[in-house]
Amino acid sequence: MKALLILFVLMNLDKLLKTAHCTETQDQVLSITPKTQEQVDILKNVSTQYETALWQPVSPHYIKEDTQVHLFVPANSSETVKDLLQRYAITHEVLLANPNELIEMQTRNDSGDPRSSSTFYERYHSLEDIYFWINRTQQDNPDTVKVILIGSSFEKRPLYVLKLSVNNRPNKKAMWIDCGIHAREWISPAFCLWFVQYSLSFYQLNEDITNILDNMDVYILPVLNPDGYHYTWTTNRMWRKNRSTNRGTKCIGVDLNRNFDANWCTEGASDQPCTEIYCGAFPESEPETQAVADFLRSHKDIVQIYLSIHSYSQMLLFPYSCTLEETENHSELLEMVQEAAQKIQRHYRNIYTYGSGAKTIYLAPGGSDDWAYKLGIKYSFTFELQDRGRYGFLLPPSHISKACNEALLAVKTIALKVVEKT
Ligand code: ARG
Ligand code: ZN
């Protein structure tokens, strides 16, 4: 018995030591609310000078008094950061004491076979598995699913779009949905997979999706930024941008949602490659941006709805984000997202805020939604899915189904409105 106990202790020595070592040395996500301009400045400094990852807001530039900042602080800068916060009496609480446990939870059980389990869509999947899934989905649904190669990423990964089409009605319009433009927003690619699965399973069973698919084709790009997504699985879970190299600096990556040709690189984007909102060397400098823009340009007469899926913060946004001006159909767009948000609240008891991007969050030029709108796609949206900061980018897999179902309800609401109009 004694021998067994000793054996147990020896076998679990590293685990026991780790728990005994207390939380001080672990990665954490802090929620910090600066109260004075001095505290704002300290916080801006902390998030740029130390090895941290800003979750909210997207750039230190937007840190302001009395507004929550969500900051990922890795173990090695934890002490310095906390000392600084204490020294300047900056209020903070631990939002996530165990991000590594959550990351582990998000990457567990990742199985390659779409048919191996009914919970495939309630898990997150590596890029490799998503490529496998794309192939399998096409093979299993040869009459409705086509796979279109629209280009490749900086690291030469293919960019595949799935085209869902249930009939050959002439002059059919279309809806475009892209996911995963920002690498760390894992719920986004999960939504694209969910949407495809739902459409294929419930066509002819659910009235709304049947009505939508009878009247429009859907183009779905599950991972717009495959290099970044892959990098979040292998190296840095907090990565946002793509992985292109930049001239004259070691800093990697362009914010693809600042790289489109819509008031490119004006206020709300940065020309500094080391920032998270770097706009790139010129509009459409990135192969991922160019592939999407080329595809939409050549399909602009059929694509009526443009939809880009992000996380987190639960928002339904529409143009403009690149200027405070209102679009010509502002009230129409507002009505659509308002109805969608009301439905989500009624069915799922979750709050989504809504409005034009610039007025609802911040000026953010070079975004895909604004560009698509200016191209002539008048129903253009960006959704920010769950949550509102409880788990942030580390939304547990158990939340995927609700997050996707409520977003699906918003997509249906908007698509049906457009079908009705035409
Ligand atoms: N959080 C998103 C971003 O920073 C917001 C996107 C809103 N639309 C836009 N065109 N910026 O990219
Ligand atoms: Zn995003």
Side-chain angles (χ1 to χ4, degrees):
M1 188 61 206
K2 227 181 197 170
L4 266 181
L5 188 66
I6 289 171
L7 191 65
F8 174 81
V9 170
L10 282 176
M11 281 172 60
N12 292 284
L13 201 57
D14 63 318
K15 257 190 218 153
L16 293 169
L17 279 176
K18 255 186 214 150
T19 24
H21 216 240
C22 97
T23 50
E24 209 53 59
T25 54
Q26 296 200 350
D27 298 351
Q28 289 188 333
V29 179
L30 303 180
S31 175
I32 313 165
T33 308
K35 298 272 187 242
T36 64
Q37 190 53 46
E38 184 196 44
Q39 294 187 345
V40 167
D41 295 337
I42 298 293
L43 211 46
K44 284 186 180 180
N45 247 318
V46 166
S47 65
T48 41
Q49 304 299 319
Y50 297 93
E51 196 195 308
T52 58
L54 198 54
W55 277 21
Q56 182 193 290
V58 64
S59 150
H61 177 81
Y62 302 105
I63 297 176
K64 58 172 196 252
E65 290 166 54
D66 298 314
T67 310
Q68 269 189 30
V69 172
H70 298 165
L71 188 69
F72 176 85
V73 183
N76 58 338
S77 29
S78 169
E79 244 178 86
T80 339
V81 169
K82 285 198 169 169
D83 279 352
L84 267 167
L85 295 181
Q86 215 132 51
R87 176 143 20 112
Y88 291 91
I90 304 177
T91 352
H92 67 276
E93 54 184 89
V94 177
L95 197 61
L96 296 175
N98 56 349
N100 293 315
E101 232 168 82
L102 289 169
I103 291 171
E104 211 271 313
M105 227 202 284
Q106 284 192 318
T107 49
R108 211 181 300 160
N109 269 338
D110 176 58
S111 143
D113 186 351
R115 282 182 295 206
S116 67
S117 148
S118 60
T119 61
F120 181 85
Y121 298 93
E122 294 176 34
R123 285 182 272 125
Y124 296 107
H125 295 281
S126 67
L127 187 64
E128 221 193 337
D129 281 355
I130 293 177
Y131 281 132
F132 185 86
W133 170 86
I134 290 172
N135 207 352
R136 184 62 150 270
T137 303
Q138 177 191 35
Q139 282 172 11
D140 290 351
N141 304 277
D143 297 334
T144 38
V145 179
K146 297 225 158 10
V147 174
I148 308 167
L149 179 68
I150 64 159
S152 58
S153 68
F154 182 81
E155 291 171 350
K156 300 287 178 259
R157 292 188 174 85
L159 297 169
Y160 293 122
V161 166
L162 281 78
K163 180 187 181 186
L164 302 185
S165 183
V166 299
N167 60 37
N168 291 323
R169 246 191 42 199
N171 307 318
K172 212 158 33 134
K173 298 293 197 223
M175 165 162 69
W176 164 280
I177 306 176
D178 60 65
C179 294
I181 190 170
H182 289 140
R184 63 194 177 185
E185 301 166 3
W186 283 14
I187 188 62
S188 169
F191 174 77
C192 267
L193 270 56
W194 187 278
F195 181 87
V196 171
Q197 166 66 12
Y198 179 86
S199 300
L200 295 173
S201 311
F202 287 91
Y203 178 65
Q204 304 273 14
L205 292 177
N206 172 278
E207 193 187 344
D208 292 343
I209 200 69
T210 305
N211 195 357
I212 292 164
L213 292 172
D214 279 341
N215 289 289
M216 56 172 78
D217 295 336
V218 188
Y219 292 97
I220 295 135
L221 172 54
V223 189
L224 195 156
N225 174 12
D227 300 346
Y229 188 71
H230 179 72
Y231 193 71
T232 60
W233 273 79
T234 58
T235 314
N236 178 359
R237 179 66 185 81
M238 302 309 154
W239 194 256
R240 166 181 168 93
K241 301 186 283 182
N242 77 346
R243 293 291 303 164
S244 70
T245 51
N246 295 306
R247 273 179 171 278
T249 169
K250 279 187 184 162
C251 290
I252 299 284
V254 168
D255 183 347
L256 295 174
N257 210 31
R258 299 292 181 281
N259 191 234
F260 285 81
D261 198 0
N263 292 9
W264 177 81
C265 219
T266 53
E267 191 194 333
S270 169
D271 59 4
Q272 302 297 309
C274 297
T275 64
E276 295 282 30
I277 51 172
Y278 176 47
C279 58
F282 51 89
E284 293 180 30
S285 58
E286 304 310 294
E288 298 87 352
T289 314
Q290 214 181 74
V292 171
D294 282 344
F295 184 87
L296 288 172
R297 270 190 287 262
S298 62
H299 292 74
K300 73 185 170 87
D301 296 332
I302 59 166
V303 176
Q304 283 180 301
I305 304 175
Y306 172 87
L307 178 54
S308 191
I309 306 291
H310 291 246
S311 76
Y312 60 95
S313 62
Q314 296 180 197
M315 288 175 177
L316 308 178
L317 306 170
F318 55 81
Y320 293 113
S321 285
C322 64
T323 163
L324 285 161
E325 279 166 45
E326 291 185 354
T327 63
E328 153 274 313
N329 61 343
H330 180 89
S331 52
E332 191 184 15
L333 294 173
L334 185 65
E335 240 173 65
M336 293 168 97
V337 291
Q338 178 174 9
E339 186 178 329
Q342 281 167 353
K343 283 198 178 157
I344 292 177
Q345 164 141 40
R346 233 177 281 134
H347 283 83
Y348 298 99
R349 307 252 153 249
N350 257 348
I351 305 281
Y352 277 66
T353 50
Y354 51 83
S356 73
K359 289 184 194 171
T360 311
I361 18 177
Y362 38 60
L363 277 170
S368 59
D369 50 359
D370 284 358
W371 176 83
Y373 183 85
K374 289 180 177 208
L375 182 70
I377 303 174
K378 293 297 172 196
Y379 302 104
S380 178
F381 304 89
T382 292
F383 287 2
E384 299 270 3
L385 307 197
Q386 283 189 26
D387 56 14
R388 291 165 93 198
R390 170 71 180 86
Y391 295 104
F393 302 119
L394 302 180
L395 193 71
S398 54
H399 294 228
I400 292 176
S401 88
K402 190 175 177 210
C404 289
N405 275 328
E406 65 196 21
L408 178 67
L409 181 56
V411 176
K412 280 184 181 180
T413 306
I414 286 168
L416 282 174
K417 283 231 159 198
V418 173
V419 166
E420 255 171 47
K421 286 170 203 282
T422 45

